[in-house]
Amino acid sequence: PYMMSIIETAFKGKLKERDFPYSSPSASMTKPQEIIVYFVGGTTYEEATKVAEYNSSQSTNTVMLGGSCIHNFESFVESLKDYTMNH
């Protein structure tokens, strides 16, 4: 999944600053050991599973996943309907 490729690139310290701006210039020179991923609008069980698999597969880096809710299929489709009706 795309999320995991971004996470792996971030741990390598290779994110493009143009796409992922940093809060300070020195932050771009370090490789993180912990990353927090937060999905505004909600995350899914599949994303949570991928993060759990990643965390259990190695011990040097940690990903913490959060979101405004955890979607199942029905809630995800409902959020799409709400979005299309309001935009």
Side-chain angles (χ1 to χ4, degrees), residues 7 13 21 25-27 29 32 44 51 59-60 67 69 71 77 83:
I7 289 170
S26 64
M29 295 181 203
T44 65
V51 167
S59 61
T60 57
C69 69
H71 284 293
V77 170
Y83 179 80

Side-chain angles (χ1 to χ4, degrees), residues 45-58:
Y45 288 104
E46 180 182 6
E47 291 159 341
T49 299
K50 292 297 180 189
V51 167
E53 289 171 354
Y54 180 84
N55 285 336
S56 65
S57 71
Q58 48 77 50

Side-chain angles (χ1 to χ4, degrees), residues 67-79:
S68 46
C69 69
I70 298 178
H71 284 293
N72 59 25
F73 178 77
E74 290 82 16
S75 66
F76 180 72
V77 170
E78 190 63 35
S79 70

Side-chain angles (χ1 to χ4, degrees), residues 9-84:
T9 304
F11 279 128
K12 293 175 186 173
K14 304 232 184 240
L15 286 178
K16 293 180 183 175
E17 192 168 350
R18 176 187 55 131
D19 298 328
F20 299 93
Y22 300 95
S23 59
S24 68
S26 64
S28 65
M29 295 181 203
T30 61
K31 293 180 184 179
Q33 293 182 324
E34 296 178 328
I35 293 177
I36 298 172
V37 178
Y38 188 89
F39 286 101
V40 174
T43 188
T44 65
Y45 288 104
E46 180 182 6
E47 291 159 341
T49 299
K50 292 297 180 189
V51 167
E53 289 171 354
Y54 180 84
N55 285 336
S56 65
S57 71
Q58 48 77 50
S59 61
T60 57
N61 300 322
T62 303
V63 179
M64 295 173 51
L65 179 67
S68 46
C69 69
I70 298 178
H71 284 293
N72 59 25
F73 178 77
E74 290 82 16
S75 66
F76 180 72
V77 170
E78 190 63 35
S79 70
L80 291 177
K81 287 180 188 176
D82 291 343
Y83 179 80
T84 56

